[in-house]
């Protein structure tokens, strides 16, 4: 039987939607119940993935694909639920993982060290990473000067050389040119043959059908379908066709209705009393350093000193 690599059991991710700064300050001193809006980006997600499987993630913009891949890659933690990941993960995303002020070569060293590779091993594989990335002299320039395609090339090159058990590719192929995309797809095939697990996010239905065994269709934070890649992609395409044929007004209405379901009002005083009080105290102390001298100064002024 194949080994289980990933299990999500009722995993949810909520993001706090902060009010205006002035409201935050009022909340700090308020004795009344403090309420915050929370956005449920992922709601009760459950699935299991086994060794050697390639899993696609599809869904409209904002459906939660990157949130899920960031949880898989350990970039963010879930708010609720149980998560089991057996093996080392490596996330390749356009915006993740590279340090903008360091050069390409320095990023190679840093990321490899973070993956636990020895200095000797890093020295051995660096030429191969540089060769795979194929970005010329830019490899010695700070990453902040790279195009998104260059970042994706470097990110992909480093990740595949650190030999992860679970590879998560979040739209990283969509920004490169077709030659590079093909090179990455070949590498992904090698990974597949070695029995590694891959999560693949792409807006290309063709690539999804070709590479994925199963697909998870996320719809406004929930799993709409999970199953055979061709079947789910076909259903998803039927849905996008229906959606794209809606008038702009109806599209907006549909989106608003779905997004409203993802919002919830949280009563912080009831649910996080202890955490709330300690964090309030911390903020008050921090702000006190600024506020106290101002108060003393104002009092002196008013008293006519
Ligand atoms: N840090 C955050 N704070 C508040 N809301 C967030 C945060 N990160 C993501 N979201 C919201 O969570 C939802 C899911 O976002 P996510 O980026 O996971 O979607 P996606 O499916 O990857 O979208 P896309 O296809 O556009 O990349 C979106 O509505 C987004 O606005």
């Amino acid at each position: 039987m194949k080994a289980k690599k990933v299990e999500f059991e009722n995993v949810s991710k909520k993001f706090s939607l902060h009010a205006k700064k002035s409201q935050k300050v009022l909340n700090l001193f308020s004795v009344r119940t403090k309420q915050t809006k929370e956005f449920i980006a992922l709601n009760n997600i459950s699935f299991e993935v086994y060794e050697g499987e390639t899993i696609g993630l599809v869904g409209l913009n904002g459906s939660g694909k990157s949130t899920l891949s960031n949880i898989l890659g350990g970039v963010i933690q879930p708010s609720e639920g149980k998560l089991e990941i057996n093996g080392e993960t490596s996330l390749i995303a356009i915006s993740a993982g590279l340090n903008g002020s360091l050069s390409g070569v320095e990023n190679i060293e840093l990321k490899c060290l973070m993956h636990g590779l020895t200095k000797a091993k890093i020295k051995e594989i660096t030429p191969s990473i540089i060769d795979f990335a194929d970005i010329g002299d830019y490899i010695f320039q700070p990453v902040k000067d790279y195009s998104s395609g260059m970042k994706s090339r470097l990110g992909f090159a480093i990740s595949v050389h650190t030999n992860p058990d679970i590879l998560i590719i979040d739209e990283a192929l969509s920004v490169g040119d077709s030659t590079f995309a093909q090179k990455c797809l070949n590498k992904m095939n090698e990974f597949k043959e070695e029995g590694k697990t891959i999560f693949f996010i792409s807006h290309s239905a063709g690539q999804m059908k070709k590479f994925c065994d199963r697909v998870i269709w996320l719809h406004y934070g929930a799993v709409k379908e999970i199953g055979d890649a061709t079947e789910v992609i076909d259903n998803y395409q039927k849905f996008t066709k229906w959606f794209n044929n809606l008038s702009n007004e109806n599209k907006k209405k549909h989106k608003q209705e779905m997004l409203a379901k993802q919002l919830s009002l949280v009563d912080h005083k009831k649910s996080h009393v202890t955490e709330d009080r300690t964090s309030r105290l911390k903020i008050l102390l921090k702000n006190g350093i600024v506020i106290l001298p101002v108060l003393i100064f104002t009092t002196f002024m008013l008293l006519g000193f």
Side-chain angles (χ1 to χ4, degrees), residues 17 62-63 75-76 91 94 102 157 218 292:
L17 298 182
S63 57
V75 178
I76 55 171
L91 169 68
I94 305 157
L102 299 181
L218 289 174
L292 214 61

Side-chain angles (χ1 to χ4, degrees), residues 182-208:
Q182 193 51 52
K183 198 155 105 175
C184 295
L185 291 169
N186 293 345
K187 200 76 192 168
M188 279 164 64
N189 258 336
E190 276 176 36
F191 266 71
K192 235 173 120 86
E193 276 158 26
E194 285 169 24
K196 304 215 171 189
T197 307
I198 305 172
F199 284 86
F200 185 40
I201 303 178
S202 160
H203 282 287
S204 157
Q207 279 181 357
M208 284 291 206

Side-chain angles (χ1 to χ4, degrees), residues 13-18 39-42 57-70 76 170-171 201 203 218 220-221 236 259 262:
K13 179 69 190 176
K14 296 171 183 170
F15 292 111
S16 292
L17 298 182
H18 294 297
F39 185 79
I40 308 164
L42 290 176
L57 295 174
V58 292
L60 296 178
N61 292 133
S63 57
K65 304 180 295 294
S66 294
T67 306
L68 202 152
S69 66
N70 282 335
I76 55 171
D170 186 351
E171 290 194 53
I201 303 178
H203 282 287
L218 289 174
Y220 293 96
Y236 175 63
L259 287 173
Q262 289 181 272

